[in-house]
Amino acid sequence: MIRLYIGLLLVSFSWGTSFTAVKVGLKVLSITELVLLRIFLSAILFVVILFFLRNSINIKIAKNDLKLVTWLAFCGIASYFPIQTYAINNTITLHTALIMALSPIFAAIMTIVAGKEQITFGRVLGIFIAFSGVVTIIVSAGSSENNLQSYPNMLIGDLILLLNALTWAHFTIMGKGLMEKYHPFVVIGYIFIVGAVMLVPYGIVFNHFQPLYLSKIFFNGWQLPGIILYLGGFCAVYSYFMWYKGVQTLGAVNTSVFMYINPLFATIAGIVVLGEELTIYNIIGGILVIIGVYIVNCKQTASR
């Protein structure tokens, strides 16, 4: 069990620091190049791993479920990562981690609207507190002169991240049935593979019809290849595998607690690696977001 906890802690570390890794990668690569490299690498790794797992688990998905897999690939990969990468490039890492932490809130709202969950005072309170935190973060985007000089379009980046968090919530809800029907790692593998195929036209158009020169990633030695491997391998394949192993062993609620650690790692990485400035508004907003998400999760658990 201790190994599992350590593994989940590493997942929080990988997802929290991935935003900083993206920023470092964008110093050399364009948004399109970075997205294509990390997703193509993830897809290749999933293909290889699923090939070796074919005798131990069922890696086939029924034809009638492929339509949903395709939609999830579009929502969770083909549109999700280009939008997120653009947003990350225009705001600080802490904002990225905290705003993305709103995904459970959006998921709760969607289930309430769909009539699958009841509206309770606790959930409304949690949603209000979390959104108050995000409003605090976004409104105070220009409170740090250092951050504002580095990211003049910070407000735009933060608002785009709200859309990203909403997309991830939809992705999570729509994929729940598939996760219960098939092995979660198989579902995620298919989604990444189909998503990578979908990104080919995106790469052709937004990369100005230029080929993806792999030699470019070795321009600054091994730093950039390390970042691509970190994002495509550790943050995707390993982290998804370990996350769903945690869900199967500890349950979704107990595993989700580790998501609250992501902003901590994001903050440390942003300050140490990128020299980002932490403001009192970031701290207050972050605390409100985490408290709000925690309350909503607790109320959802108590009602089941």
Side-chain angles (χ1 to χ4, degrees), residues 54-85:
R54 71 189 188 282
N55 293 325
S56 56
I57 62 174
N58 180 23
I59 64 170
K60 295 181 179 180
I61 292 183
K63 290 183 179 180
N64 58 334
D65 289 325
L66 291 179
K67 184 177 180 180
L68 179 56
V69 169
T70 302
W71 173 247
L72 292 175
F74 174 76
C75 293
I77 305 296
S79 63
Y80 179 82
F81 281 102
I83 292 173
Q84 185 188 79
T85 306

Short mmCIF file of all heavy atoms in Angstrom, two decimals, residues 54-85:
data_model
loop_
_atom_site.label_atom_id
_atom_site.label_comp_id
_atom_site.label_asym_id
_atom_site.label_seq_id
_atom_site.Cartn_x
_atom_site.Cartn_y
_atom_site.Cartn_z
N ARG A 54 -1.86 -7.83 -24.36
CA ARG A 54 -2.99 -8.43 -25.08
C ARG A 54 -3.34 -9.82 -24.58
O ARG A 54 -4.49 -10.26 -24.73
CB ARG A 54 -2.69 -8.46 -26.59
CG ARG A 54 -1.61 -9.46 -26.99
CD ARG A 54 -1.22 -9.28 -28.46
NE ARG A 54 -0.34 -10.34 -28.94
CZ ARG A 54 0.95 -10.42 -28.70
NH1 ARG A 54 1.54 -9.48 -27.95
NH2 ARG A 54 1.68 -11.41 -29.18
N ASN A 55 -2.38 -10.52 -23.98
CA ASN A 55 -2.66 -11.88 -23.50
C ASN A 55 -3.12 -11.90 -22.04
O ASN A 55 -3.62 -12.92 -21.56
CB ASN A 55 -1.40 -12.75 -23.64
CG ASN A 55 -1.05 -12.99 -25.10
OD1 ASN A 55 -1.93 -13.11 -25.96
ND2 ASN A 55 0.25 -13.07 -25.39
N SER A 56 -2.97 -10.79 -21.34
CA SER A 56 -3.34 -10.76 -19.92
C SER A 56 -4.64 -10.01 -19.67
O SER A 56 -5.34 -10.28 -18.68
CB SER A 56 -2.22 -10.11 -19.10
OG SER A 56 -1.91 -8.81 -19.58
N ILE A 57 -4.99 -9.07 -20.54
CA ILE A 57 -6.25 -8.34 -20.42
C ILE A 57 -6.90 -8.21 -21.79
O ILE A 57 -6.22 -8.35 -22.82
CB ILE A 57 -6.07 -6.93 -19.80
CG1 ILE A 57 -5.18 -6.08 -20.71
CG2 ILE A 57 -5.51 -7.00 -18.40
CD1 ILE A 57 -5.07 -4.63 -20.25
N ASN A 58 -8.18 -7.95 -21.80
CA ASN A 58 -8.91 -7.76 -23.06
C ASN A 58 -8.63 -6.35 -23.58
O ASN A 58 -9.01 -5.36 -22.95
CB ASN A 58 -10.40 -7.96 -22.84
CG ASN A 58 -11.19 -7.76 -24.12
OD1 ASN A 58 -10.66 -7.88 -25.23
ND2 ASN A 58 -12.47 -7.45 -23.98
N ILE A 59 -7.97 -6.25 -24.72
CA ILE A 59 -7.62 -4.93 -25.26
C ILE A 59 -8.53 -4.53 -26.41
O ILE A 59 -8.27 -3.53 -27.09
CB ILE A 59 -6.16 -4.89 -25.73
CG1 ILE A 59 -5.93 -5.85 -26.91
CG2 ILE A 59 -5.20 -5.23 -24.59
CD1 ILE A 59 -4.58 -5.69 -27.58
N LYS A 60 -9.62 -5.28 -26.61
CA LYS A 60 -10.54 -4.97 -27.70
C LYS A 60 -11.72 -4.14 -27.18
O LYS A 60 -12.19 -4.35 -26.06
CB LYS A 60 -11.05 -6.25 -28.35
CG LYS A 60 -9.97 -7.06 -29.07
CD LYS A 60 -10.57 -8.29 -29.72
CE LYS A 60 -9.50 -9.10 -30.45
NZ LYS A 60 -10.07 -10.31 -31.10
N ILE A 61 -12.18 -3.23 -28.00
CA ILE A 61 -13.36 -2.42 -27.68
C ILE A 61 -14.40 -2.66 -28.77
O ILE A 61 -14.09 -2.65 -29.96
CB ILE A 61 -13.00 -0.92 -27.60
CG1 ILE A 61 -12.12 -0.67 -26.37
CG2 ILE A 61 -14.26 -0.06 -27.53
CD1 ILE A 61 -11.76 0.77 -26.15
N ALA A 62 -15.64 -2.87 -28.35
CA ALA A 62 -16.71 -3.17 -29.29
C ALA A 62 -16.93 -2.03 -30.28
O ALA A 62 -16.71 -0.86 -29.96
CB ALA A 62 -18.01 -3.44 -28.52
N LYS A 63 -17.35 -2.38 -31.48
CA LYS A 63 -17.53 -1.39 -32.55
C LYS A 63 -18.55 -0.31 -32.16
O LYS A 63 -18.39 0.85 -32.51
CB LYS A 63 -17.98 -2.08 -33.84
CG LYS A 63 -16.90 -2.93 -34.49
CD LYS A 63 -17.39 -3.51 -35.82
CE LYS A 63 -16.29 -4.33 -36.49
NZ LYS A 63 -16.75 -4.91 -37.79
N ASN A 64 -19.58 -0.72 -31.43
CA ASN A 64 -20.60 0.27 -31.06
C ASN A 64 -20.12 1.27 -30.01
O ASN A 64 -20.80 2.27 -29.75
CB ASN A 64 -21.87 -0.44 -30.55
CG ASN A 64 -21.58 -1.33 -29.34
OD1 ASN A 64 -20.47 -1.81 -29.15
ND2 ASN A 64 -22.59 -1.55 -28.54
N ASP A 65 -18.95 1.02 -29.43
CA ASP A 65 -18.38 1.96 -28.46
C ASP A 65 -17.29 2.85 -29.08
O ASP A 65 -16.82 3.79 -28.43
CB ASP A 65 -17.76 1.20 -27.27
CG ASP A 65 -18.84 0.59 -26.38
OD1 ASP A 65 -19.90 1.22 -26.23
OD2 ASP A 65 -18.60 -0.51 -25.84
N LEU A 66 -16.91 2.54 -30.30
CA LEU A 66 -15.84 3.30 -30.94
C LEU A 66 -16.25 4.74 -31.24
O LEU A 66 -15.40 5.65 -31.28
CB LEU A 66 -15.39 2.60 -32.24
CG LEU A 66 -14.66 1.28 -32.05
CD1 LEU A 66 -14.29 0.69 -33.42
CD2 LEU A 66 -13.39 1.47 -31.21
N LYS A 67 -17.55 4.96 -31.46
CA LYS A 67 -18.03 6.32 -31.71
C LYS A 67 -17.79 7.20 -30.49
O LYS A 67 -17.34 8.35 -30.61
CB LYS A 67 -19.51 6.30 -32.07
CG LYS A 67 -20.08 7.65 -32.44
CD LYS A 67 -21.54 7.54 -32.84
CE LYS A 67 -22.11 8.91 -33.21
NZ LYS A 67 -23.53 8.81 -33.63
N LEU A 68 -18.08 6.67 -29.31
CA LEU A 68 -17.86 7.41 -28.08
C LEU A 68 -16.37 7.59 -27.83
O LEU A 68 -15.93 8.67 -27.38
CB LEU A 68 -18.50 6.68 -26.90
CG LEU A 68 -18.32 7.32 -25.52
CD1 LEU A 68 -18.83 8.76 -25.53
CD2 LEU A 68 -19.04 6.50 -24.44
N VAL A 69 -15.57 6.58 -28.12
CA VAL A 69 -14.12 6.68 -27.98
C VAL A 69 -13.59 7.81 -28.86
O VAL A 69 -12.74 8.60 -28.44
CB VAL A 69 -13.42 5.35 -28.35
CG1 VAL A 69 -11.91 5.55 -28.46
CG2 VAL A 69 -13.73 4.29 -27.31
N THR A 70 -14.12 7.90 -30.09
CA THR A 70 -13.70 8.95 -31.01
C THR A 70 -14.05 10.33 -30.47
O THR A 70 -13.25 11.27 -30.56
CB THR A 70 -14.36 8.75 -32.39
OG1 THR A 70 -14.02 7.46 -32.89
CG2 THR A 70 -13.89 9.81 -33.37
N TRP A 71 -15.25 10.47 -29.92
CA TRP A 71 -15.67 11.75 -29.35
C TRP A 71 -14.79 12.12 -28.15
O TRP A 71 -14.38 13.27 -27.99
CB TRP A 71 -17.13 11.70 -28.94
CG TRP A 71 -17.60 12.92 -28.20
CD1 TRP A 71 -18.00 13.01 -26.90
CD2 TRP A 71 -17.70 14.25 -28.73
NE1 TRP A 71 -18.33 14.29 -26.58
CE2 TRP A 71 -18.17 15.08 -27.69
CE3 TRP A 71 -17.42 14.82 -29.98
CZ2 TRP A 71 -18.38 16.45 -27.85
CZ3 TRP A 71 -17.64 16.19 -30.14
CH2 TRP A 71 -18.10 16.98 -29.09
N LEU A 72 -14.49 11.14 -27.30
CA LEU A 72 -13.63 11.40 -26.15
C LEU A 72 -12.21 11.75 -26.58
O LEU A 72 -11.55 12.57 -25.94
CB LEU A 72 -13.61 10.16 -25.24
CG LEU A 72 -14.91 9.84 -24.51
CD1 LEU A 72 -14.79 8.53 -23.75
CD2 LEU A 72 -15.31 10.96 -23.58
N ALA A 73 -11.75 11.14 -27.66
CA ALA A 73 -10.42 11.46 -28.19
C ALA A 73 -10.37 12.91 -28.66
O ALA A 73 -9.35 13.60 -28.49
CB ALA A 73 -10.07 10.51 -29.34
N PHE A 74 -11.47 13.36 -29.25
CA PHE A 74 -11.53 14.76 -29.70
C PHE A 74 -11.56 15.71 -28.51
O PHE A 74 -10.82 16.70 -28.47
CB PHE A 74 -12.76 14.99 -30.57
CG PHE A 74 -12.97 16.43 -30.94
CD1 PHE A 74 -12.20 17.03 -31.92
CD2 PHE A 74 -13.95 17.18 -30.30
CE1 PHE A 74 -12.38 18.37 -32.24
CE2 PHE A 74 -14.14 18.52 -30.61
CZ PHE A 74 -13.35 19.11 -31.58
N CYS A 75 -12.41 15.39 -27.52
CA CYS A 75 -12.56 16.27 -26.35
C CYS A 75 -11.33 16.25 -25.45
O CYS A 75 -10.87 17.30 -24.98
CB CYS A 75 -13.79 15.85 -25.53
SG CYS A 75 -15.36 16.09 -26.35
N GLY A 76 -10.81 15.03 -25.20
CA GLY A 76 -9.75 14.88 -24.21
C GLY A 76 -8.34 14.95 -24.75
O GLY A 76 -7.38 15.08 -23.96
N ILE A 77 -8.18 14.88 -26.07
CA ILE A 77 -6.83 14.90 -26.65
C ILE A 77 -6.71 15.95 -27.75
O ILE A 77 -5.97 16.94 -27.62
CB ILE A 77 -6.45 13.52 -27.23
CG1 ILE A 77 -6.59 12.42 -26.17
CG2 ILE A 77 -5.02 13.55 -27.77
CD1 ILE A 77 -5.68 12.55 -24.99
N ALA A 78 -7.43 15.74 -28.85
CA ALA A 78 -7.24 16.55 -30.07
C ALA A 78 -7.56 18.03 -29.86
O ALA A 78 -6.91 18.88 -30.47
CB ALA A 78 -8.10 15.98 -31.20
N SER A 79 -8.54 18.34 -29.03
CA SER A 79 -8.85 19.74 -28.76
C SER A 79 -8.29 20.18 -27.41
O SER A 79 -7.88 21.33 -27.24
CB SER A 79 -10.37 19.97 -28.79
OG SER A 79 -11.01 19.24 -27.77
N TYR A 80 -8.26 19.26 -26.47
CA TYR A 80 -7.86 19.57 -25.09
C TYR A 80 -6.42 20.07 -24.98
O TYR A 80 -6.16 21.13 -24.41
CB TYR A 80 -8.06 18.32 -24.22
CG TYR A 80 -7.67 18.49 -22.77
CD1 TYR A 80 -8.54 19.08 -21.87
CD2 TYR A 80 -6.44 18.03 -22.31
CE1 TYR A 80 -8.18 19.22 -20.54
CE2 TYR A 80 -6.08 18.17 -20.99
CZ TYR A 80 -6.95 18.76 -20.10
OH TYR A 80 -6.60 18.90 -18.78
N PHE A 81 -5.49 19.32 -25.54
CA PHE A 81 -4.08 19.66 -25.36
C PHE A 81 -3.64 20.90 -26.15
O PHE A 81 -2.87 21.71 -25.63
CB PHE A 81 -3.19 18.46 -25.69
CG PHE A 81 -3.13 17.46 -24.57
CD1 PHE A 81 -3.87 16.29 -24.61
CD2 PHE A 81 -2.35 17.70 -23.46
CE1 PHE A 81 -3.85 15.39 -23.57
CE2 PHE A 81 -2.29 16.79 -22.40
CZ PHE A 81 -3.05 15.63 -22.46
N PRO A 82 -4.09 21.11 -27.38
CA PRO A 82 -3.74 22.37 -28.06
C PRO A 82 -4.26 23.60 -27.32
O PRO A 82 -3.53 24.59 -27.17
CB PRO A 82 -4.40 22.22 -29.43
CG PRO A 82 -4.45 20.75 -29.67
CD PRO A 82 -4.74 20.17 -28.32
N ILE A 83 -5.50 23.52 -26.84
CA ILE A 83 -6.09 24.64 -26.11
C ILE A 83 -5.34 24.87 -24.80
O ILE A 83 -5.00 26.00 -24.44
CB ILE A 83 -7.58 24.38 -25.83
CG1 ILE A 83 -8.37 24.40 -27.14
CG2 ILE A 83 -8.14 25.43 -24.87
CD1 ILE A 83 -9.82 24.00 -26.98
N GLN A 84 -5.08 23.79 -24.08
CA GLN A 84 -4.39 23.92 -22.80
C GLN A 84 -2.97 24.47 -22.97
O GLN A 84 -2.53 25.33 -22.19
CB GLN A 84 -4.33 22.57 -22.08
CG GLN A 84 -3.73 22.67 -20.68
CD GLN A 84 -3.49 21.31 -20.05
OE1 GLN A 84 -2.52 20.64 -20.37
NE2 GLN A 84 -4.39 20.91 -19.16
N THR A 85 -2.27 23.98 -23.97
CA THR A 85 -0.90 24.44 -24.20
C THR A 85 -0.85 25.92 -24.54
O THR A 85 0.02 26.66 -24.07
CB THR A 85 -0.23 23.63 -25.33
OG1 THR A 85 -0.34 22.23 -25.02
CG2 THR A 85 1.24 23.99 -25.47
#
